[in-house]
Amino acid sequence: MIAIRAAKVATVAAIALFASLVAFGNLTDYDTNLAFVRHVLSMDTIFASSAIKYRAITDPTLQRAVYALIIATEAATAVLCWIGAGVLARRLRADAAAFNRAKSLAVVGLTLGFLLWHVGFMSIGGEWFGMWESQRWNGVPSAFRFLMTSIAVLIFVAIPDQELERGGA
C-alpha cells in the first residue's frame, strides 16, 4: 500500500527532524551541552565510592573532541535521514524493487542514530563513564528513548515492500 510507504518516508523524516534539532541545540547552546559532556567524562558527579573513576577524561581538549564527534554524528544522522526520506519520497509509486533499493541512505542514517544513542550514550556514557550513577547528569533514560525510536523506525523501514495494489491505495 502507498500509505505504508508514505508512513516510512514520514517516520524517517521525523528522525531527521529530531536529529537536526538535537544537533542545532548542541551548536546554539554549546556551553550548556558541553557542560553535560564534561561532567559525564570527568565522572565528577558519580558515586563518591565508585571504583571506576580511573576511567575519567578530564582533559578539556579531549572533552571538546568528544563533544565535536557527538555533534558531527547527530548532524550526519540528520543529513542521511533527510536525504533518505527524500529518495524514498521520490520513489513512493515506483515498483517494489526500486523502493526497496532506495532505502539505503535512510537505513544508514537510522543505524548511525541508533549507534550514537546506544553505543555512545548508553554503553560508553552510561556504563563506561558511569553516567547512570549521576543524579544530575544522567542521560541514559533520554538516550534509551532516542535509540528505541530509531530502532523502531529502522525495523519498520527495513521491512520489504510489496508491489502496489491497483489504484495505488
Side-chain angles (χ1 to χ4, degrees), residues 11-56:
T11 56
V12 172
I15 296 293
L17 175 62
F18 176 75
S20 297
L21 294 174
V22 173
F24 180 77
N26 280 335
L27 290 170
T28 58
D29 194 12
Y30 186 87
D31 290 333
T32 300
N33 294 304
L34 176 60
F36 174 89
V37 172
R38 283 191 165 149
H39 283 291
V40 170
L41 295 177
S42 67
M43 304 172 76
D44 60 352
T45 62
I46 67 170
F47 302 151
S49 62
S50 183
I52 63 170
K53 287 189 174 189
Y54 71 91
R55 301 174 184 170

Side-chain angles (χ1 to χ4, degrees), residues 100-118:
N100 287 323
R101 282 191 309 272
K103 295 177 180 181
S104 296
L105 287 175
V107 167
V108 172
L110 294 165
T111 302
L112 187 59
F114 172 83
L115 292 172
L116 171 64
W117 290 302
H118 187 276

